[in-house]
Amino acid sequence: MEHVPPPAEELALLDRELAQLDARRAQLLTRRAWLVAALQPKAPDAPRWSTPPLGHGWAPAQPWGAVPKAAKPSAPRSAQNVLLTLGGLLLTVAAVAFTLVSWGSMGIGGRAAVLALVTVAALAAPALLLRRKLAATAEALAALALVLTLLDAYAIHAVATPDADGLTFTAIASAVLAALWAAYGLALGKLHLPLPAAVFFAQWPLLLGAWAAGAPALVVGWALLATAVVDGAIALRGKGLGVRVTAGIGLVVMGSATLLTGLGESLTAGSPLGAVLPGLLLLTAAVAALAGAWRAPSGYAQLGGAVAGLAAVAAVGGVLRAAVPGAWHVPVYLLCGPALLSVVRARLPRTAGRGVLLASGAVVAGALVWALPGVAAVLLGPVQLVAEVWAGAPDGFRGALGEAMAWSELAAAPLVLAVVAGGLGAAYRRWPTLVRLAAPLASPGVKACDAAGAGALALGWGAVLLAAATLGVPYPVAVALETVLVAGLLAVAVLGAGGRQAGAGAADAAAAGVGATGAAGSGSGGAVGGSEPYAGTASAGPSAGGAAGRGGPSAVAVTALVLAVGGAVSLGLLSLAAEAATYAVLGALTVLFAGAALRTRPVVVQAVLAVAAVVWGTALTGCVAGSLGLAPHEAAPLLLVVPAVTVLLGARLRNHPVALPVELAGGLGALVAIGLAAPRAPFLALVLALCGVLAAGAAVRPERRPVAGYLAAVLFVTATWVRLAASEVSAPEAYTLPVTVPALVIGALRRRKDPEASSWTAYGPGLGVTLLPSLAVAWGDPDWPRPLLLGAAALVITLLGAKYRLQAPLLLGGAVLALVTLHELAPYVVQVAGALPRWLPPALAGLLLLAVGATYEQRLRDARKLKDMLGRMR
């Protein structure tokens, strides 16, 4: 007999055996993981491994005997913070509820005692908690104490001084709270909340006090400025990141409010004397910003210099603005902007000086933003003449541009553009001197020199155009002036496209000299104003700028080219007002651009000029057709004169890089002609045939033959079928079969002579001439003979292509056969689809997709086999 243990003993036995099995399983899994890691390739410097004894635990890829260090338990800081936050929030809610709800049920003594007791306890608790190193709890109670002090202030105003003015009481309470929390924060230096709170409360006393006193806007501005100065001092000298960040935010807000207040008062002043006080506020703000920039880090110092420069311009310009008419306000500020350059050599930190330069540039940019819309109106205004071509010359330049713009308000805009252009031009001409002057603050290179020259050219050109519009010159004078400007720009583009400008070379030399000076200054400990070194200010300028300036047209030349093209387009539109002006302008533009293309050397510039000449010539040809009274479809053949000239010119140029852009530009003219002739089929056939002749003429040249030859064939075939369609031919086979048979015979002879020739070259054209037109006709033929004959022919061609392994007959015949079959079976398919339930087609489609997905790999292999088989065919 077998001994059967009691249930409790048996359960314990089973538990022990299961535990042993689990331990053994864990050992085996660990051993297996280690073996897998050991069998993997190791780096040459990896430690050698040894087989550990069986039965011990180890980590994979770990040397035997190494015991992993246990990670130190980390304190649940996030949970602690959540608990403290919730606790502080609940206490705050309780305090607010007590103040608002239960306050009235207590006497004045009880109220004061309760609030004083709770506030004192909340203020005293953080000190005890900090001694026990419970900083997080102390911060939570400090936040509660902050809310309690606010409630104390509210309670005092509501009960003790209910008749006091709200703004005055808030200003006093803010000052008291700022002092209280500043002292509290200094006393308990380990708390992070009190000092930022003190900075926050310090923002309001002066502002609210001035507001409560009903002070004018300027007094409020001075209060804001004083607060901003205090914020700046705290941001520079404050203790702790929170204090500096809070003070920095206050500085931005209060400083911006100060500048806006001073600027608003300056802009609304009716006399120079009335603008003096706002100017004094802005100047004081500028001095304060510059003083802060003197001590601030580099990025903030640059921002402070920029703010100081803008405030100074607003102050001085506001006084001068009040003394001039409204149209001249912007030039006054513009003249004050460059005056900031006088402080470039002052004893300023380098970054603060850069900020002042940025402020000067911002003033100039703002003036340009005000003036440039007038230039855009001059350039785009003639677009309205397209709707009334040759309606007659307008009374003046403004009449051609339209009266939408208030030209009288832009009387000073040309002066703004001229002043800026003059400054940039002077900088471009005297770049070495400017580099030496600006060396302590910046390191301008050749690229900046080129940009200055390009900007001077563009702004000078815009100033002349805008001056002509604001003065209201006569229409012929405006046309002649714009023509002369285009000619001058083309001259600059041609002269500057040959290489690098002399100014760039001088700038290289100046930059090299400044680099040497900077290196010497850094070696001797030199500094701008004795504050910052400027080691190597322009040492990188010569290499970078010089390399950019060599080997191609300069920025001035490129700018001149762009302006010439844009000005020519505007001039062409402007000339549409009168027929004589149109011929004169388009003819002059064609000659100017063609001559400039012949005179310039860089290929890109030459190509742009040549293409523009072709475009103007095409437009001139269209004007001739309009003068002859031709309809658009009748004018289409005449527009092919310019493409014919470009084909002849391309043959003359041969392999010159400009030949292809010129021919493509002529091709665009041919496309325009085709578009004009499209409404009339006979003219379309004529234009297509003429285009085919031009393409065939281009195909005579070997380098154009691969593209132009096929294009000519397509154009001739398309012209033939357009002509047949225009003649209402219903049996195209009578015209295609006489072409197909000789084409196939020639293809067979070609294949016999050259068995490696492609079947597309040998048989593709002949088969396509008949199959494709017959397919197009059969698709709309309701009778059965043509589809039947076409399908039979396509079947025979497909079988022949499959037998002789010819790609073109196989694919063409198969495609035509499939389309004919689809055309014939379509009505029956529609009937069957209409008789089927609505759910059946989606179900069948789903089954098909499932089947394809299940056999995707096999289908993919079949597709690859089919592709390889077709690829092996000729």
Side-chain angles (χ1 to χ4, degrees), residues 262-341:
L263 182 61
E265 292 295 314
S266 177
L267 293 177
T268 56
S271 63
L273 185 60
V276 170
L277 292 179
L280 182 60
L281 174 63
L282 292 172
L283 281 178
T284 307
V287 172
L290 205 57
W294 201 284
R295 299 291 184 183
S298 60
Y300 298 103
Q302 187 168 341
L303 178 61
V307 171
L310 292 175
V313 170
V316 179
V319 177
L320 300 178
R321 178 204 63 84
V324 298
W328 297 89
H329 289 172
V330 174
V332 166
Y333 286 103
L334 175 63
L335 295 177
C336 295
L340 293 175
L341 299 178

Side-chain angles (χ1 to χ4, degrees), residues 141-599:
L141 288 180
L144 175 62
L146 176 63
V147 176
L148 288 175
T149 53
L150 292 175
L151 294 176
D152 288 338
Y154 165 75
I156 292 173
H157 176 63
V159 176
T161 59
D163 298 331
D165 180 64
L167 289 176
T168 304
F169 182 84
T170 305
I172 297 173
S174 299
V176 173
L177 289 174
L180 171 65
W181 282 100
Y184 187 75
L186 293 175
L188 301 178
K190 294 183 179 181
L191 292 179
H192 301 288
L193 180 64
L195 289 180
V199 174
F200 173 77
F201 288 127
Q203 308 300 312
W204 309 108
L206 294 178
L207 174 62
L208 296 180
W211 193 0
L218 280 178
V219 176
V220 175
W222 283 104
L224 292 170
L225 178 59
T227 305
V229 170
V230 174
D231 288 333
I234 296 174
L236 290 175
R237 301 292 186 181
K239 177 183 178 182
L241 180 61
V243 174
R244 292 196 297 271
V245 170
T246 306
I249 296 174
L251 172 62
V252 172
V253 175
M254 296 299 175
S256 300
T258 301
L259 296 177
L260 291 177
T261 302
L263 182 61
E265 292 295 314
S266 177
L267 293 177
T268 56
S271 63
L273 185 60
V276 170
L277 292 179
L280 182 60
L281 174 63
L282 292 172
L283 281 178
T284 307
V287 172
L290 205 57
W294 201 284
R295 299 291 184 183
S298 60
Y300 298 103
Q302 187 168 341
L303 178 61
V307 171
L310 292 175
V313 170
V316 179
V319 177
L320 300 178
R321 178 204 63 84
V324 298
W328 297 89
H329 289 172
V330 174
V332 166
Y333 286 103
L334 175 63
L335 295 177
C336 295
L340 293 175
L341 299 178
S342 60
V343 304
V344 169
R345 304 299 296 181
R347 297 178 59 84
L348 291 177
R350 181 178 179 182
T351 51
R354 286 179 179 176
V356 174
L357 291 179
L358 289 177
S360 177
V363 172
V364 174
L368 292 179
V369 168
W370 174 77
L372 287 178
V375 179
V378 174
L379 294 176
L380 301 178
V383 174
Q384 64 177 347
L385 298 176
V386 176
E388 300 178 356
V389 178
W390 297 347
D395 296 336
F397 194 16
R398 292 185 184 180
L401 301 177
E403 299 297 335
M405 291 291 294
W407 298 106
S408 59
E409 298 179 1
L410 295 176
L415 176 62
V416 170
L417 296 176
V419 168
V420 180
L424 292 176
Y428 181 69
R429 296 298 299 173
R430 299 184 177 275
W431 192 254
T433 304
L434 180 62
V435 169
R436 287 194 298 271
L437 290 175
L441 300 178
S443 55
V446 179
K447 291 183 179 180
C449 175
D450 290 341
L457 180 64
L459 294 178
W461 170 72
V464 174
L465 289 179
L466 192 55
T470 54
L471 293 176
V473 300
Y475 175 76
V477 175
V479 172
L481 177 62
E482 290 203 31
T483 306
V484 171
L485 288 177
V486 171
L489 291 171
L490 288 176
V492 174
V494 170
L495 293 176
R500 200 170 154 213
Q501 296 290 341
D508 271 347
V514 172
T517 304
S522 63
S524 60
V528 181
S531 58
E532 293 185 14
Y534 58 101
T537 53
S539 59
S543 60
R550 296 184 178 91
S554 64
V556 177
V558 174
T559 303
L561 179 61
V562 173
L563 295 178
V565 174
V569 173
S570 178
L571 176 59
L573 295 174
L574 182 65
S575 67
L576 295 178
E579 184 175 1
T582 302
Y583 280 107
V585 167
L586 293 181
L589 291 178
T590 304
V591 173
L592 287 173
F593 277 87
L598 293 175
R599 297 287 297 176

